[in-house]
Amino acid sequence: MNDVRLKSLLDNDFYKITMQNAVVKLFPNERVKYNFINRGKHHFPEGFGAELRKSVNAMAEMKLTRDEKDYLRVTCPYLELPYLDFLSGYHYDPSEVNIVQNGNNLEVTVEGEWYRTILWEVPLLALISELHYETNHLERDSNETVISRTLDKAAKLDELGVTYAEFGTRRRHSYEVQNLVVETLTRNNKGRFIGSSNVHFAMKYGVKPIGTHAHEWFMFHAAEYGFKMANALSLEHWVDVYRGDLGVALSDTYTTEVFFQQFDKKFAKLFDGVRHDSGDPIEFANKTIEHYQRNGIDPLFKYIIFSDGLNLEKVAEITKACKGRIGISFGIGTNLTNDVGLKPMNIVMKLVAAQSMNGDWVPTVKLSDEHGKYTGDPKMIELAKEFLRIKD
């Protein structure tokens, strides 16, 4: 097996780069822990952990190239030169990753300074997914079928008249399939395909890298400052770093209901829009539109990025419900990069703890708008619900 499966340091989601830049500026001394969560109860064959370890060790050799640095400098002017110089000297440290396999169960944890470990999550998930199909000898559909299926989806999305991006790195079938999908979308683009969350592929195919921040940004702030301050301080710090750029706010870390209590007129005007990632998308759209209207803001000047488990049917339903009411766009992940005739994996990696200033580890939690997606220490989840007055 080939140990070097990742081709570039930028083979990662863009929001990891943007968050790392903010962490370097604001939280250079904080330490965190991440855990792999096997939501789909997948079984891992004997030797899987050892193969994953080889691939992780090989990542230590990756460096940002001069061309990649120049690409970020030109494409993302809000990433200032000191950060780009830092990223030029950055390398993955495999000692930050602990991999243990017991029978068919796999445990993967990451621990270290947040500014360093923040880049591990997405490539680790991509590696686990690719190795899963490889070690289980699961044969996918042909390249021709993948291309044909991608073209069919693109045509239907074009018919709907919506813009969309590819968000599928973390649960892709493989690097090869994601490359094939983005190449196909780019080559046959009729103006509706606007970019990729994967910085490497965005650079390779000349499309826009798309992303702002993830749940961990809010989860860290909750651990550091308390649940009641988490949303407001997360948004405030984001504005402090990016000064109006990267203006899409993630809404559901501690439920959308709580988010909108702190997403006041100031934030509603400063941010271009919000991202939906859990719960009923049409209900979310209605709440968002009402929130803007209550604050005297025309929703048609704002937009929602939908990114939760999308397929063509969901996109069509959302488009019908939102047309003429608010701007919309879609980030489609697994349905693009792992629609190859095999069952996609259901895996995530989450921030589970942050070290406080006095050295204690504080558990982090994510509530979201779906109870099944609650993650973290059960006692801390109950505490968060109590503080935020969230009722089941």
Side-chain angles (χ1 to χ4, degrees):
M1 292 184 184
N2 178 17
D3 297 337
V4 184
R5 289 181 174 80
L6 299 177
K7 315 295 183 186
S8 164
L9 188 73
L10 296 185
D11 187 1
N12 209 322
D13 278 346
F14 187 46
Y15 65 27
K16 285 294 183 174
I17 300 293
T18 59
M19 285 193 298
Q20 186 185 49
N21 175 51
V23 171
V24 167
K25 285 187 173 185
L26 301 179
F27 305 107
N29 300 312
E30 279 69 8
R31 291 176 62 84
V32 296
K33 295 178 183 177
Y34 298 84
N35 280 0
F36 169 69
I37 302 170
N38 182 10
R39 280 182 179 165
K41 311 294 183 189
H42 305 283
H43 284 217
F44 296 93
E46 184 179 350
F48 185 95
E51 288 299 329
L52 179 60
R53 169 51 67 188
K54 288 179 187 176
S55 292
V56 166
N57 289 347
M59 289 172 65
E61 302 302 316
M62 291 194 302
K63 292 280 190 179
L64 192 75
T65 68
R66 182 177 293 277
D67 285 347
E68 288 171 335
K69 183 179 180 181
D70 287 343
Y71 167 78
L72 291 175
R73 179 178 55 79
V74 173
T75 308
C76 314
Y78 40 78
L79 297 176
E80 296 169 351
L81 189 57
Y83 170 70
L84 297 182
D85 284 344
F86 158 79
L87 196 60
S88 294
Y90 177 89
H91 64 87
Y92 284 104
D93 180 356
S95 71
E96 295 166 343
V97 182
N98 187 46
I99 301 167
V100 177
Q101 182 171 1
N102 292 310
N104 293 127
N105 296 318
L106 182 71
E107 295 178 13
V108 183
T109 58
V110 176
E111 180 178 336
E113 283 78 14
W114 193 21
Y115 78 90
R116 289 196 46 79
T117 55
I118 195 167
L119 293 189
W120 277 113
E121 175 193 349
V122 175
L124 278 173
L125 290 172
L127 285 172
I128 290 169
S129 184
E130 183 163 349
L131 273 169
H132 163 75
Y133 299 109
E134 195 173 312
T135 56
N136 283 293
H137 308 291
L138 301 172
E139 193 168 333
R140 68 170 173 87
D141 293 334
S142 68
N143 287 355
E144 291 74 22
T145 301
V146 172
I147 291 170
S148 174
R149 199 171 283 144
T150 302
L151 288 172
D152 184 53
K153 290 173 186 175
K156 289 176 180 174
L157 289 164
D158 288 339
E159 284 175 22
L160 288 171
V162 297
T163 59
Y164 64 97
E166 178 275 310
F167 275 22
T169 303
R170 64 185 57 234
R171 284 189 283 268
R172 67 192 183 193
H173 172 274
S174 57
Y175 175 93
E176 183 184 6
V177 168
Q178 187 174 14
N179 182 59
L180 202 61
V181 166
V182 180
E183 181 184 22
T184 301
L185 292 172
T186 305
R187 190 174 62 243
N188 296 275
N189 189 13
K190 294 181 174 62
R192 295 292 175 181
F193 173 59
I194 58 172
S196 173
S197 65
N198 186 295
V199 192
H200 166 66
F201 288 121
M203 176 182 170
K204 184 174 182 180
Y205 292 108
V207 295
K208 184 179 179 181
I210 295 178
T212 54
H213 47 243
H215 294 109
E216 71 177 284
W217 183 251
F218 296 84
M219 293 163 72
F220 171 84
H221 279 76
E224 187 81 353
Y225 302 107
F227 293 111
K228 287 190 174 182
M229 298 298 294
N231 283 322
L233 279 177
S234 295
L235 297 173
E236 198 72 61
H237 283 150
W238 197 256
V239 171
D240 287 345
V241 172
Y242 287 110
R243 317 300 297 175
D245 283 311
L246 302 175
V248 176
L250 181 60
S251 60
D252 70 332
T253 310
Y254 298 109
T255 76
T256 293
E257 199 76 31
V258 171
F259 174 83
F260 279 139
Q261 290 169 16
Q262 295 183 314
F263 194 66
D264 59 13
K265 181 176 283 192
K266 170 188 169 180
F267 290 130
K269 286 192 170 185
L270 282 174
F271 282 84
D272 301 319
V274 294
R275 179 160 73 91
H276 169 266
D277 198 52
S278 65
D280 185 290
I282 295 171
E283 183 182 327
F284 174 83
N286 291 333
K287 284 181 181 178
T288 303
I289 291 166
E290 289 168 10
H291 183 76
Y292 282 129
Q293 289 172 336
R294 274 198 309 273
N295 284 281
I297 299 168
D298 185 347
L300 288 172
F301 289 101
K302 300 293 181 177
Y303 64 95
I304 303 171
I305 294 181
F306 295 91
S307 61
D308 180 33
L310 295 175
N311 55 35
L312 291 173
E313 291 72 28
K314 274 190 181 181
V315 171
E317 288 173 16
I318 294 166
T319 301
K320 183 179 179 182
C322 295
K323 191 174 182 181
R325 301 176 66 208
I326 192 169
I328 56 173
S329 189
F330 298 89
I332 305 174
T334 308
N335 191 251
L336 280 176
T337 61
N338 204 346
D339 186 7
V340 295
L342 300 170
K343 186 177 180 181
M345 299 191 81
N346 186 2
I347 54 175
V348 294
M349 194 154 196
K350 291 296 179 186
L351 185 75
V352 294
Q355 197 168 36
S356 66
M357 286 180 284
N358 64 9
D360 294 333
W361 285 97
V362 181
T364 59
V365 300
K366 178 174 83 79
L367 302 186
S368 86
D369 289 328
E370 289 179 31
H371 294 181
K373 284 190 173 182
Y374 285 5
T375 59
D377 178 78
K379 289 182 180 178
M380 194 62 82
I381 288 173
E382 291 306 313
L383 191 63
K385 287 162 62 180
E386 183 178 344
F387 268 106
L388 299 172
R389 299 180 183 178
I390 296 170
K391 295 179 181 179
D392 288 330

